[in-house]
Amino acid sequence: MAVEPKAGFPMGKATRDAFGEALREAGRTNPNIVVVDGDVNNSTRTEWFAQEFPERFINVGIAESNLVGIGAGLAASGKLPVIASFACFIMCNGYDQLRMSVAFPNLNVKVVGSHAGISIGEDGPSQMAIEDVALALGMPTFTVVVPADEPSTHKAVAAMLAAEGPAYMRVGRPDVPVVYGDDPEITLGKANQLRDGDDVTLIANGIMVAAALEAARDLADEGVEARVLDMHTVRPLDVAAVTQAARETGKIVVAEEHLVQGGLGSVVAMAVAEHAPCRMAFVGVENTYAESGDAEALLEKYGLTAAHIAAKARGLL
Amino acid sequence: MSVEAKMSIAELEEQARVLRRDIITCTTVAGSGHPSSSLSGVEIMAALYFGGIMRHDPAAPQWPDRDRLIMSKGHASPLLYVALAHAGYFSTDLLPTLRQIGSPLEGHPNMTRLPGVEASTGSLGQGLSIGLGHAFAARMEQRDFHVFVILGDGEQDEGQVWEAAMTAAHYKLDNVTAIVDHNKAQQTGWVRDVLDYAPLAEKWRAFQWDVQEIDGHDMATVANALARAKATAGRPSCIIAHTVKGKGVSFVEADYSYHGKSLTKEEEGRALEELGWQ
């Protein structure tokens, strides 16, 4: 299963695969990393770390609340825990524990939620996290990261592990197009401008970055030059890049594979409203749950494609 | 207070009387708090911190080899604070600042603001899992410290407690001791009326823990049980300490509705008189 490559981007691995590889690689140089799993390690790809470092891997069974608490205790005793499950389960089932045991005491716990968004496809809405970024943003000490593709996920994992404090990273199930070169620069809190343009700015993260780039090419065919920002870090938000985009292009479309409220669009809108008010539009899951089905068909049905982004951009012109 | 200083049973009983006095006075000054939930656990805390059970050093609260005490029933923060203050983690002068703006003695424990507080708690059910995290860290780093977690009996309602209980047994975390302050009362009534989960000891035994059921107010019994739990090998230990909510103050003992209420100045006087302070 894959999200089809658009606009000529080569297909890459899923961001969960990149996370699993980067985690195993980090384990080789950082003996302090401990991975805690809620019995989904072959889905989240923490199994690759587990195979190489079984003594630093704990499967607690299907018990996300306990999983989070164990992560908190490990961090309080000086370990670097990476706790991972499906995004919907660790963020929703474990939310009180994340808030109380991790966020409030500001412990150095790295939370990774896989299978985020509706692009998981056939398993359906019970497994689709569409609110996880909003929940992560609900914890004021959390850094929130949503990488776009395989190479940038590698870099984002390393950056997240190197930073102090609690962090949430969202990764996806399907293979996704590669929008970066082999060695992208990922600095948490700093947006990457992937395309320049002065007519409109498309701000996206996760799988919507590739869609935004495709939308930009379609718009260019019509003579509209769109700037594209990969906002891989939702918190801390790159307010400077947002402000500059608002001033220089005067129109912003935000696209994310998440509920339209509470995620990237909301925080970008706050920054725009405060620093450089301009017209905006939002692409995301409208107030609904999705359904089971083919990933591409779901993205089309629920409005998360390049065409939807381009249409919103045209509406602002 | 030096590392592993150890009082006699008689000295511990006197220390418990001091802790009870300070629990009552600091919550009365604050005008709110949970004195009754704190009073039931006094002998347990006295034995841990003053009876030579805990290996700890107030001068080095982050010492990697220290034993950990996690107050999972975070509303009993006054009990934790008076014990830590008398153990030397901070001045007893701070106790009257309980719950006031600017004070690190918050309504529920905040580990980022006060030395000796091992976990921020107050949302019930979470402390044992945190304790397991410390215990796993000890195993990975080959340290021999022990983790004590004090849970409330109302807290036994929380599913996370049993998730943690299963996990500790599966991984044979014998460096963990869960102490249930079984004072029989919770916020809106007696435990047996709110959610009767009896038999409690059998539940912990069924979860493959070593279980001791004790009189939680008999100092020698408490100290011996804690020492045995710490020495138990091969599986985690649970001590079900039968206690009395509000222990030492007759009119609080008799009335569960004192949960979450400090004593008035007049009640404080009566309470201190019962404890032999006036």
Side-chain angles (χ1 to χ4, degrees):
Chain A
M1 190 182 68
V3 174
E4 291 303 317
K6 297 290 165 53
F9 297 114
M11 183 55 80
K13 292 178 182 169
T15 50
R16 63 170 166 153
D17 292 338
F19 156 67
E21 291 171 354
L23 182 62
R24 179 177 54 193
E25 198 175 308
R28 291 171 184 158
T29 53
N30 188 344
N32 210 31
I33 295 172
V34 179
V35 173
V36 193
D37 166 45
D39 201 36
V40 284
N41 58 76
N42 51 352
S43 296
T44 61
R45 306 308 194 203
T46 58
E47 65 175 332
W48 299 334
F49 181 97
Q51 287 158 359
E52 198 162 321
F53 309 105
E55 72 289 353
R56 289 193 271 143
F57 177 81
I58 306 164
N59 183 348
V60 303
I62 309 159
E64 293 78 14
S65 306
N66 185 43
L67 185 162
V68 172
I70 287 173
L74 284 163
S77 263
K79 308 306 287 183
L80 177 51
V82 176
I83 65 175
S85 181
F86 281 26
C88 56
F89 303 141
I90 197 163
M91 294 306 288
C92 298
N93 196 319
Y95 195 64
D96 182 18
Q97 290 71 25
L98 287 168
R99 169 187 174 271
M100 183 71 225
S101 295
V102 177
F104 173 55
N106 198 24
L107 288 168
N108 196 21
V109 177
K110 309 307 181 189
V111 184
V112 177
S114 73
H115 294 61
I118 69 171
S119 60
I120 67 161
E122 289 79 358
D123 278 337
S126 68
Q127 324 288 299
M128 291 171 176
I130 54 173
E131 61 285 272
D132 54 315
V133 173
L135 290 169
L137 288 170
M139 297 181 287
T141 52
F142 260 73
T143 296
V144 183
V145 187
V146 185
D149 69 355
E150 180 190 341
S152 64
T153 299
H154 269 273
K155 291 299 182 73
V157 169
M160 175 178 74
L161 292 173
E164 191 67 25
Y168 172 64
M169 177 177 287
R170 162 192 243 231
V171 292
R173 180 187 185 194
D175 290 346
V176 289
V178 174
V179 299
Y180 281 98
D182 285 343
D183 191 25
E185 189 166 324
I186 298 289
T187 304
L188 299 185
K190 189 170 184 329
N192 282 344
Q193 181 173 306
L194 301 181
R195 191 181 193 286
D196 200 7
D198 289 330
D199 297 325
V200 62
T201 301
L202 312 178
I203 298 177
N205 61 19
I207 65 166
M208 298 312 288
V209 174
L213 285 166
E214 185 194 356
R217 290 191 193 185
D218 292 345
L219 290 166
D221 290 343
E222 302 161 20
V224 177
E225 291 302 326
R227 180 177 303 185
V228 177
L229 298 179
D230 172 14
M231 200 62 75
H232 49 74
T233 309
V234 185
R235 185 197 286 132
L237 185 71
D238 188 345
V239 175
V242 170
T243 305
Q244 190 182 354
R247 290 203 175 119
E248 293 177 1
T249 71
K251 297 168 275 299
I252 294 176
V253 180
V254 185
E256 59 193 314
E257 193 194 7
H258 185 272
L259 286 173
V260 280
Q261 286 95 351
L264 178 64
S266 294
V267 295
V268 170
M270 279 189 71
V272 169
E274 190 165 357
H275 299 289
C278 73
R279 291 199 66 198
M280 295 186 68
F282 304 92
V283 172
V285 180
E286 302 291 343
N287 277 329
T288 183
Y289 290 100
E291 64 193 280
S292 289
D294 170 72
E296 282 295 323
L298 286 172
L299 293 170
E300 174 65 36
K301 180 170 180 177
Y302 290 90
L304 299 178
T305 68
H308 292 94
I309 297 171
K312 291 269 186 177
R314 287 187 203 103
L316 296 178
L317 296 172
Chain B
M1 180 84 197
S2 61
V3 178
E4 294 187 73
K6 185 173 178 178
M7 292 181 175
S8 69
I9 295 299
E11 288 168 329
L12 284 172
E13 285 168 347
E14 177 58 18
Q15 185 67 53
R17 206 168 69 90
V18 170
L19 298 182
R20 283 203 162 87
R21 176 197 65 194
D22 288 356
I23 286 167
I24 289 165
T25 55
C26 74
T27 49
T28 293
V29 169
S32 65
H34 298 76
S36 65
S37 309
S38 297
L39 290 168
S40 60
V42 164
E43 280 75 17
I44 296 163
M45 286 294 273
L48 283 168
Y49 278 92
F50 307 96
I53 302 295
M54 292 267 291
R55 181 175 68 197
H56 71 121
D57 181 0
Q62 289 299 314
W63 178 31
D65 289 316
R66 73 195 183 281
D67 290 341
R68 274 72 160 161
L69 181 282
I70 292 168
M71 185 63 79
S72 191
K73 45 176 281 188
H75 54 286
S77 58
L79 170 60
L80 177 62
Y81 298 156
V82 299
L84 291 177
H86 284 282
Y89 283 89
F90 48 86
S91 169
T92 53
D93 292 346
L94 274 177
L95 294 175
T97 70
L98 175 70
R99 289 176 164 247
Q100 288 174 27
I101 191 164
S103 170
L105 277 62
E106 296 197 37
H108 293 76
N110 180 343
M111 66 183 287
T112 66
R113 297 188 67 186
L114 204 56
V117 176
E118 296 284 2
S120 296
T121 51
S123 177
L124 291 173
Q126 303 195 19
L128 189 56
S129 299
I130 296 169
L132 264 53
H134 285 280
F136 277 117
R139 180 174 285 180
M140 289 172 191
E141 298 195 341
Q142 283 146 19
R143 296 184 190 277
D144 67 348
F145 66 78
H146 199 86
V147 184
F148 296 94
V149 182
I150 298 181
L151 300 102
D153 52 5
E155 189 173 9
Q156 307 297 297
D157 300 351
E158 292 277 8
Q160 187 185 354
V161 171
W162 303 100
E163 294 179 4
M166 277 186 275
T167 303
H170 177 80
Y171 285 98
K172 299 182 169 48
L173 293 176
D174 55 10
N175 50 353
V176 173
T177 296
I179 305 156
V180 181
D181 182 1
H182 195 14
N183 62 28
K184 320 293 188 298
Q186 55 193 97
Q187 179 153 335
T188 66
W190 302 107
V191 167
R192 65 168 184 271
D193 297 326
V194 174
L195 183 69
D196 189 358
Y197 51 60
L200 183 60
E202 280 84 339
K203 283 191 170 63
W204 283 93
R205 277 193 197 100
F207 279 71
Q208 303 300 306
W209 286 55
D210 181 81
V211 177
Q212 303 177 72
E213 227 175 333
I214 64 164
D215 175 350
H217 294 308
D218 184 87
M219 191 64 81
T221 301
V222 170
N224 287 335
L226 288 167
R228 190 192 125 178
K230 192 173 179 180
T232 296
R235 55 178 169 166
S237 279
C238 175
I239 297 173
I240 296 173
H242 288 273
T243 58
V244 175
K245 194 156 176 171
K247 177 68 177 177
V249 182
S250 60
F251 55 93
V252 179
E253 289 182 15
D255 185 354
Y256 63 74
S257 74
Y258 272 94
H259 180 95
K261 273 201 308 204
S262 59
L263 303 187
T264 65
K265 200 69 191 160
E266 184 271 330
E267 288 172 327
E268 177 192 45
R270 279 197 281 147
L272 294 179
E273 196 175 335
E274 284 193 20
L275 291 167
W277 286 108
Q278 290 180 358

